[in-house]
Amino acid sequence: MTLDRLAARHGVATAHSPSEGVTVPVPDATVVAVLAALGVDAASPETVAAALDAAERADRERLLPPTLVLHREEDGSGGTLRPPLDLPPGTRLRVTTEDGDVVDGGDWSGLPLGVHVVGAEAPDGRAATGTLIVSPARVPGPGRRAYGLLVQLYSLLSTRSWGMGDLGDLRELATWAGRTHGAGFVQVNPLHAGVPGAPSDPSPYRPSSRRFPDPVHLRIEEVPEYALVGAERREELDRILAEAAELRERVLGKGALIDRDAVWDVKRRALELVLGAVEPGPGRRADFHDFLAERGRALEDHATYQALAERHGHHWRSWPEELRAPRAAESAVRADPALAARVDFHCRLAWLTDRQLADAAAAAREAGMEVGIVHDLAVGVHPEGSDAWALQEAFAAGMSVGAPPDAFNSRGQDWGLPPWRPDALAAAGYAPYRGLLRELLRHAGALRIDHVMGLFRLWWVPEGREPTEGTYVRYDAEAMLAVLVLEAHRAGALVIGEDLGTVEPGVREELARRGVFGTSVLWFERDWAGTGRPLPAGEWRAECVATATTHDLPSTAARLSGEHVGLRHRLGLLAGDLERERAADAAETAEWLGLFERTGLLPEGPGDEEAEIRAVHRFLLATPARMVGVWLPDAVGDRRPQNLPGTWDEYPNWRLPLSGPDGQPLTLEQLAASPRAHALLRELRARTEGRGPSDGGGDARTAPPGARPV
């Protein structure tokens, strides 16, 4: 039991409940390994006792916890301090705010929002400092109800793309959706920097860095220096442009998959040519220097990693010893002009990408979008990537984030992502987490957080063990949420939590209390506590994004037709009999379609796929959900999932272009001219704005002149 006590002190679970009434013990070896990753030796009874004694002694001697949280209530008053202070009589307190103001004493009711330093001096001479986070009570909410588009940006190619969708395409999509169809937001996949080198991991959810975007998303022709390339380099640039056009044609006209590595190769060469041939003007140079100053050491570390990875490969643990830590690598950069030049190059790429992200955000606002661009925060980073190198002390070595066994996956999951160390975050005043959020919120109208339950606890899997042999490690959710709410408040952004799957009791309620929206997917919304039948529209929660599907689920056309069952069968992913699975799936679909018919949302009756997809979205709009998301492939009848969990080479995850029902790729221009997309989005706009489906003139099926049927 001593090991249990020690584990509990460090937030490490010694048992978990996969379902109500069922408790599964965690192997002692797992608990010992996880404690070791937290810097606690629990390898023997003697070391366990010593570690427990040391922890209890530290608690008795500690004046201040490393981080304190104070929520500012909506009326401006201060809320409850967490954790509460228990100080010796006569202890003096002093707060230095982030603006440099000093407040003596323990009355903190008038402190401004922000991240401050608190100091304590006890009469016996002990002194301590900690971080005080003063946060608003809630994240801001949307001003009015909005619908928007959910898109994997790489999949949306225009006639100007270089083989995959880019930030120019995002700007065009936002402008079109906002101005023509009254959309309130566009949500994109994570645009985080990918792991360098080829072949790279195409998943946007396993990035090298979550702090900086990937320059593969740049629209090269919109880099200002591009137009200034002189005639002596123009021929070389034209050859690169011809390669880019061929990449685009392979995807759009020849059935090729999106090849991120090939796209980056031509873009990198183009950027090297452009930036090497043209010096920015004084104003542009000043803007770049301001960007460097604002991003500071975090950008320098990321650019240094990128430069070193070009030379030594991205597996930084195999680099020369003197390069494996960021501060030690600085001297190597200073001593090597060629390396320093590459660091500067990667800093410039981050700057250019940031400015195009800003342009896309501005275009969304100018198009009248209520929310704007919704960016996505992946749950973790690649263990050999930039963040894992630069922030080594903040990650748990030898551990991977995953999920325990459940009804859908009896083997559990290992996502291959190193988790934050909760003790390291607290000791740093949550600076790594704060910096990450601040970067992502720079140009975001809202931030979606993948697996938002990770703010409360994560399933840690020790290296070399099966996911079934992991355990939960708890985080200080009070502090994690306080930082999130503070940074969202500063950015004026909404927060959306992806809270699908196993969610422990109380989590959704706490997120709602802090103003964090949830995610509600139609097919999962049933009366699980009662009849098990589809949940009526009026019983859905309001504080959520309601949608028909996600990037990890079948498209609505595939769901309605049952094609997704056949696909999973062909790939060996079905646990049961094919015909039984098909029958169960068809019965589930029929239940929903029957509900749509009974409530007047499917007047056409079942059998017309396009009408059924419109009925799905009419139902979503009949719920109280403040935000309704339309999976962009659903607007054109795309039948293929972008990602099929449980597969790697068996299915082309994260490499499929947006396509019509026939599987033929569609450009952004064809999407904008599609009668099918036009009909759906026009109805969404009318119903969101409180009008009938065809109010505003004409038949809802009317498309712009010259539209290509889809």
Side-chain angles (χ1 to χ4, degrees):
M1 295 304 294
T2 306
L3 179 61
D4 289 357
R5 288 172 55 203
L6 181 64
R9 295 186 67 87
H10 293 278
V12 180
T14 55
H16 71 99
S17 300
S19 59
E20 188 174 353
V22 177
T23 300
V24 178
V26 173
D28 285 353
T30 295
V31 176
V32 170
V34 170
L35 286 170
L38 293 169
V40 180
D41 185 354
S44 69
E46 294 75 19
T47 58
V48 169
L52 189 58
D53 179 67
E56 292 173 345
R57 185 171 62 253
D59 282 350
R60 291 192 300 269
E61 297 174 354
R62 181 182 294 119
L63 274 179
L64 293 174
T67 299
L68 291 152
V69 172
L70 180 66
H71 289 290
R72 176 78 65 235
E73 300 301 331
E74 292 185 24
D75 62 3
S77 62
T80 305
L81 187 69
R82 300 287 179 86
L85 290 177
D86 183 18
L87 299 170
T91 299
R92 296 174 55 193
L93 289 171
R94 169 174 289 188
V95 173
T96 304
T97 72
E98 61 184 18
D99 293 328
D101 296 327
V102 176
V103 177
D104 286 314
D107 181 9
W108 295 343
S109 60
L111 284 176
L113 300 175
V115 181
H116 315 308
V117 176
V118 57
E121 293 182 8
D124 61 6
R126 286 181 298 156
T129 59
T131 300
L132 174 62
I133 301 167
V134 182
S135 168
R138 291 174 55 85
V139 173
R144 60 181 174 84
R145 192 181 200 199
Y147 92 89
L149 305 178
L150 316 178
V151 59
Q152 299 284 291
L153 181 58
Y154 60 84
S155 73
L156 183 63
L157 285 74
S158 70
T159 55
R160 297 178 60 190
S161 305
W162 287 24
M164 61 182 279
D166 59 36
L167 292 172
D169 297 321
L170 176 59
R171 188 193 65 249
E172 291 287 342
L173 178 68
T175 300
W176 168 74
R179 292 186 183 277
T180 303
H181 293 290
F185 62 92
V186 172
Q187 177 182 305
V188 295
N189 56 284
L191 303 183
H192 308 321
V195 176
S200 64
D201 188 336
S203 172
Y205 290 92
R206 199 164 182 249
S208 174
S209 174
R210 295 186 294 175
R211 298 182 296 173
F212 295 98
D214 199 314
V216 76
H217 300 110
L218 281 169
R219 171 67 64 83
I220 303 297
E221 295 92 332
E222 292 177 7
V223 172
E225 286 73 27
Y226 172 89
L228 303 177
V229 172
E232 69 282 1
R233 306 296 298 275
R234 179 58 60 178
E235 184 176 341
E236 183 180 354
L237 186 56
D238 287 344
R239 285 196 296 269
I240 295 175
L241 288 173
E243 291 182 53
E246 174 59 24
L247 283 175
R248 179 173 59 246
E249 177 57 23
R250 285 182 202 168
V251 174
L252 295 177
K254 299 180 181 179
L257 298 174
I258 292 168
D259 188 340
R260 183 190 181 102
D261 294 339
V263 172
W264 175 236
D265 179 64
V266 292
K267 287 193 175 184
R268 175 187 52 77
R269 286 187 280 124
L271 288 162
E272 288 171 342
L273 187 154
V274 170
L275 299 183
V278 180
E279 280 293 320
R284 291 271 295 163
R285 191 179 301 112
D287 182 56
F288 174 56
H289 289 160
D290 284 349
F291 179 78
L292 291 177
E294 291 166 2
R295 307 279 73 77
R297 174 164 284 177
L299 174 59
E300 183 179 346
D301 285 348
H302 176 64
T304 299
Y305 168 87
Q306 294 292 107
L308 291 171
E310 288 178 336
R311 184 174 292 186
H312 300 287
H314 73 267
H315 294 277
W316 58 267
R317 289 179 178 82
S318 65
W319 290 354
E321 184 71 34
E322 66 275 12
L323 302 178
R324 294 178 195 170
R327 303 288 71 80
E330 287 179 352
S331 58
V333 173
R334 287 194 296 269
D336 188 333
L339 190 59
R342 294 306 292 178
V343 172
D344 179 73
F345 175 71
H346 288 289
C347 285
R348 290 179 184 274
L349 299 189
W351 167 57
L352 295 173
T353 311
D354 179 87
R355 295 314 187 238
Q356 289 196 6
L357 282 167
D359 290 344
R365 290 192 300 271
E366 291 165 6
M369 286 193 164
E370 174 71 17
V371 177
I373 306 298
V374 181
H375 285 281
D376 199 349
L377 171 61
V379 71
V381 295
H382 195 287
E384 294 290 346
S386 166
D387 285 358
W389 175 75
L391 300 170
Q392 293 173 43
E393 68 285 350
F395 290 102
M399 294 290 140
S400 176
V401 175
D406 57 27
F408 299 99
N409 192 326
S410 61
R411 299 173 58 187
Q413 299 176 59
D414 183 343
W415 301 333
L417 309 169
W420 292 120
R421 280 184 58 163
D423 58 329
L425 288 178
Y430 292 84
Y433 177 53
R434 286 189 279 120
L436 165 63
L437 292 175
R438 195 165 297 178
E439 287 294 338
L440 284 170
L441 288 163
R442 279 171 57 81
H443 308 302
L447 180 65
R448 175 192 179 272
I449 299 181
D450 193 42
H451 194 69
V452 72
M453 298 82 78
L455 300 181
F456 295 77
R457 66 178 185 177
L458 282 172
W459 185 258
W460 287 24
V461 181
E463 185 177 353
R465 296 184 180 274
E466 293 297 318
T468 53
E469 299 178 86
T471 189
Y472 279 114
V473 175
R474 191 159 295 282
Y475 292 78
D476 184 347
E478 189 79 24
M480 298 288 277
L481 284 170
V483 172
L484 175 62
V485 173
L486 174 63
E487 295 302 334
H489 172 82
R490 286 171 155 167
L494 314 180
V495 178
I496 302 159
E498 186 271 296
D499 56 350
L500 304 174
T502 302
V503 185
E504 64 178 320
V507 166
R508 287 195 175 104
E509 292 77 8
E510 180 61 17
L511 291 171
R513 192 163 70 90
R514 295 299 179 203
V516 177
F517 275 32
T519 301
S520 293
V521 177
L522 181 127
W523 309 100
F524 302 154
E525 292 295 316
R526 289 177 170 268
D527 181 12
W528 297 114
T531 65
R533 296 179 66 83
L535 193 66
E539 297 181 26
W540 284 42
R541 54 182 169 171
E543 306 298 306
C544 75
V545 176
T547 183
T549 190
T550 74
H551 60 266
D552 282 334
L553 296 171
S555 69
T556 303
R559 175 82 68 171
L560 292 168
S561 67
E563 284 187 16
H564 69 108
V565 178
L567 174 61
R568 292 173 59 223
H569 172 70
R570 291 194 298 274
L571 296 174
L573 299 176
L574 279 189
D577 176 74
L578 173 60
E579 293 310 315
R580 190 178 298 115
E581 292 278 353
R582 278 180 169 158
D585 182 72
E588 179 181 342
T589 301
E591 269 194 304
W592 282 103
L593 293 176
L595 175 60
F596 301 157
E597 278 196 275
R598 291 193 303 274
T599 53
L601 300 175
L602 185 55
E604 303 91 339
D608 181 336
E609 179 186 285
E610 187 176 345
E612 291 172 353
I613 290 176
R614 286 202 302 273
V616 165
H617 291 90
R618 288 170 187 151
F619 180 88
L620 295 176
L621 289 168
T623 73
R626 301 286 304 284
M627 299 174 70
V628 172
V630 180
W631 179 237
L632 191 61
D634 283 351
V636 290
D638 198 342
R639 311 184 85 80
R640 302 177 298 178
Q642 282 291 313
N643 176 51
L644 197 59
T647 64
W648 181 249
D649 290 331
E650 303 94 330
Y651 187 81
N653 292 322
W654 317 113
R655 290 172 287 174
L656 291 172
L658 179 76
S659 300
D662 57 1
Q664 293 301 307
L666 296 173
T667 64
L668 172 57
E669 293 82 1
Q670 289 168 332
L671 166 73
S674 163
R676 181 168 180 161
H678 185 76
L680 175 62
L681 300 185
R682 182 171 183 146
E683 183 163 344
L684 282 159
R685 178 177 193 170
R687 291 177 181 268
T688 303
E689 295 176 353
R691 309 194 309 268
S694 61
D695 287 357
D699 185 341
R701 291 178 176 267
T702 302
R708 169 180 174 236
V710 173

